[in-house]
């Protein structure tokens, strides 16, 4: 393999290239935005649902938010590992799959956990952010996977 450096003083880039750095950073940013959307700028509902036996439990959007935080954490760690290990093929496949999982968590058609049926609930804003971040993670992951395969 040709081990040329892209720019003097930036030896860590090697064959990874500027595209690889951009794609890995996009995966990391999508994960961070997914976590931020759940906790900061579009938090899920905090309402409780009353059960038949009189006890209360969180609504399903709470559990969707928890799943999104886990997927976001996976994306952040995966993006960082892509930057440090320079493995675009493996990291891209994981990022694309995690992006699809983030989208699937918000679908309520039996595939994912879903969100509240009431359109006025706060979890609908979280769902929009989740779909956006999942789409970005999928696109960046698929591009990284293709770039990694091309480099082989």
């Amino acid at each position: 393999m040709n081990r040329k450096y892209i720019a003097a003083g930036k030896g860590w880039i090697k064959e990874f290239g500027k595209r690889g750095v951009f794609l890995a950073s996009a995966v990391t940013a999508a994960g961070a935005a997914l976590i931020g959307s759940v906790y900061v700028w579009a938090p899920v509902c905090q309402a409780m649902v009353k059960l038949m036996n009189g006890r209360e439990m969180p609504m399903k959007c709470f559990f969707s938010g928890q799943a999104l935080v886990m997927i976001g954490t996976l994306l952040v760690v995966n993006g960082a590992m892509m930057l440090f290990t320079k493995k675009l093929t493996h990291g891209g496949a994981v990022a694309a799959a995690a992006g699809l999982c983030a989208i699937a968590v918000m679908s309520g058609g039996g595939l994912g956990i879903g969100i509240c049926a009431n359109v006025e609930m706060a979890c609908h804003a979280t769902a929009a952010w989740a779909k956006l971040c999942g789409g970005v993670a999928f696109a960046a992951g698929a591009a990284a996977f293709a770039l990694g395969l091309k480099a082989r």
Side-chain angles (χ1 to χ4, degrees):
M1 264 190 214
N2 188 2
R3 297 273 182 199
K4 289 186 202 172
Y5 293 107
I6 289 182
K10 295 185 180 181
W12 62 278
I13 294 180
K14 287 186 185 173
E15 288 182 355
F16 194 61
K18 292 179 183 177
R19 288 185 206 150
V21 171
F22 173 75
L23 293 172
S25 299
V27 168
T28 306
L34 193 58
I35 294 169
S37 69
V38 172
Y39 284 131
V40 181
W41 54 83
V44 293
C45 312
Q46 298 299 322
M48 302 289 274
V49 65
K50 192 164 188 146
L51 302 175
M52 295 291 276
N53 62 5
R55 295 169 58 192
E56 290 184 345
M57 70 176 282
M59 297 173 77
K60 66 181 177 178
C61 55
F62 170 79
F63 298 108
S64 293
Q66 297 302 310
L68 290 176
V69 167
M70 296 303 284
I71 293 169
T73 304
L74 173 70
L75 285 170
V76 168
V77 170
N78 183 49
M81 292 303 293
M82 285 170 67
L83 280 171
F84 293 125
T85 64
K86 318 289 189 290
K87 302 221 185 272
L88 284 177
T89 308
H90 302 109
V94 170
L100 287 178
C101 286
I103 295 169
V105 162
M106 288 314 206
S107 67
L111 186 62
I113 300 170
I115 54 173
C116 304
N118 186 358
V119 181
E120 296 175 2
M121 299 295 275
C123 54
H124 285 272
T126 310
W129 275 98
K131 291 173 184 175
L132 174 72
C133 294
V136 168
F138 176 75
F145 182 75
L147 189 62
L149 286 179
K150 183 181 172 188
R152 287 185 172 201

